[in-house]
Amino acid sequence: MTHHATSPRPASEPAPTLELGGITIDWLRGGNNQLDGGTMFGAVPKLLWNKRYPADSDNYIELLNHPLLIRTPEANLLIDTGLGNKLSKKQEKIFRVTRPWEVIEDLHRFGLGREDIDYVLFSHGDFDHAGGVVMVNPSGDLELTYPRARHLMQRREWEDISAPNSRAAHTYFPVNFEGLEASGLLELVDGEAEVVPGVTLRHSGGHTRGHQVVMIEGDQASALHMGDLFPTHHHANPLWIMAYDNFPLRVIEEKEALFGECLRKNCWLTFYHDFQMRACRLGANQEVVETFG
Ligand SMILES: [Zn+2]
């Protein structure tokens, strides 16, 4: 893959740990890829977004796909799973994969194996988030990457994965869910649900119909993971949304409401796709006032 000097890649360095007090968050390297910059900014003119986000000569921008490892006294949880290790060569070319999936290696750095993950929390089912649910093992067979984990998803998301419309069929790959339902490890959530003390799921919709966000509350600080409602800090303006959003007005409403809530709680906003930082705090005018990682 071509790599352009305009795209720094701090992802090669392990990110620091975000401490919330009794709960920690770490970012695992779930693979990098590149997308047309225009698709990530919807109706925003390139003249505006390109001042903030570098694009290469083909108009592509660099994105991370970094699952979050949340460790609480009760459990080890992952939010999303990265690109996985089963994209075909053709898919790797189409999605311009520039760095492979290294989640298992990264878990080892924390002394964790695949069987130590208790929960996998899906923001939604798109392949860049659910690609690591099922992996190719060393014998070449497919298996669940986290064989003990309860996999939690909004019921609406599972309904759409099971019967995708013609647009969603391009981003929900059946292979990413192979064997999950039969394993008994898939659990469907309606609306809000506390997973373990301090970690709560909430339905948001917007990007996909069943998209969910995760509130993580420690003793000293809290963090909100908005998934693809807030893919990078360059999307802080509620109107800067992706062309991939299926329900754009819902994305804008959710961003406004969640940013307002986060301002009151002074919480971190954590990123899955941002290649320049792992989390930030926003001020009253959606300006970045503090960054992490
Ligand atoms: Zn995404």
Side-chain angles (χ1 to χ4, degrees):
M1 285 300 110
T2 322
H3 176 60
H4 296 268
T6 51
S7 304
R9 201 173 298 162
S12 54
E13 312 295 330
T17 297
L18 182 61
E19 307 268 356
L20 302 178
I23 297 182
T24 58
I25 300 179
D26 287 280
W27 282 258
L28 309 178
R29 294 170 298 181
N32 297 8
N33 74 307
Q34 300 181 335
L35 284 177
D36 183 280
T39 63
M40 283 298 287
F41 291 99
V44 179
K46 183 178 181 185
L47 273 175
L48 295 183
W49 65 254
N50 197 209
K51 281 182 193 156
R52 299 159 183 244
Y53 208 124
D56 71 12
S57 53
D58 291 337
N59 207 42
Y60 276 67
I61 63 174
E62 183 90 6
L63 294 162
L64 311 186
N65 300 282
H66 280 191
L68 274 63
L69 169 65
I70 305 169
R71 287 177 289 167
T72 84
E74 286 80 16
N76 299 312
L77 309 92
L78 287 182
I79 301 180
D80 292 338
T81 61
L83 295 176
N85 68 352
K86 57 190 178 350
L87 289 172
S88 67
K89 289 281 164 245
K90 186 178 172 188
Q91 287 171 320
E92 287 188 356
K93 201 170 168 188
I94 292 170
F95 304 124
R96 290 206 187 195
V97 176
T98 54
R99 190 176 176 93
W101 183 70
E102 296 163 293
V103 166
I104 307 299
E105 293 87 330
D106 278 0
L107 283 174
H108 291 161
R109 288 197 294 116
F110 298 103
L112 299 174
R114 293 159 49 194
E115 64 291 342
D116 294 316
I117 299 301
D118 302 295
Y119 292 92
V120 173
L121 314 176
F122 289 86
S123 65
H124 64 298
D126 283 347
F127 74 91
D128 52 326
H129 296 255
V133 173
V134 171
M135 65 180 282
V136 182
N137 67 20
S139 342
D141 301 318
L142 293 179
E143 64 182 32
L144 283 181
T145 307
Y146 308 104
R148 280 188 49 254
R150 296 162 67 181
H151 292 63
L152 273 53
M153 184 188 301
Q154 290 286 324
R155 183 179 310 278
R156 267 169 276 206
E157 189 70 6
W158 184 247
E159 285 168 3
D160 287 348
I161 288 168
S162 306
N165 61 44
S166 55
R167 170 159 150 142
H170 289 276
T171 56
Y172 292 145
F173 298 171
V175 68
N176 287 333
F177 309 98
E178 197 161 304
L180 178 57
E181 195 173 21
S183 72
L185 292 168
L186 175 66
E187 296 182 26
L188 302 179
V189 172
D190 294 295
E192 187 166 323
E194 186 185 62
V195 183
V196 293
V199 180
T200 307
L201 302 173
R202 279 201 240 163
H203 175 244
S204 67
H207 179 66
T208 60
R209 200 168 67 109
H211 187 282
Q212 65 184 355
V213 301
V214 187
M215 180 60 87
I216 307 139
E217 295 173 292
D219 297 331
Q220 280 128 40
S222 45
L224 175 64
H225 188 74
M226 289 172 58
D228 271 1
L229 301 188
F230 192 27
T232 80
H233 72 283
H234 299 293
H235 295 81
N237 180 333
L239 298 178
W240 285 41
I241 64 172
M242 296 188 275
Y244 299 112
D245 291 331
N246 288 293
F247 304 93
L249 293 178
R250 176 77 189 225
V251 172
I252 294 165
E253 286 165 15
E254 284 288 326
K255 281 173 80 174
E256 288 172 343
L258 293 170
F259 286 166
E261 181 183 342
C262 250
L263 188 64
R264 291 191 295 279
K265 293 183 175 168
N266 191 32
C267 67
W268 289 103
L269 292 155
T270 51
F271 296 112
Y272 184 81
H273 286 305
D274 197 305
F275 83 116
Q276 288 159 322
M277 64 181 72
R278 301 296 176 271
C280 75
R281 283 188 165 114
L282 295 181
N285 300 307
Q286 289 98 35
E287 75 282 19
V288 173
V289 293
E290 198 176 348
T291 68
F292 180 83

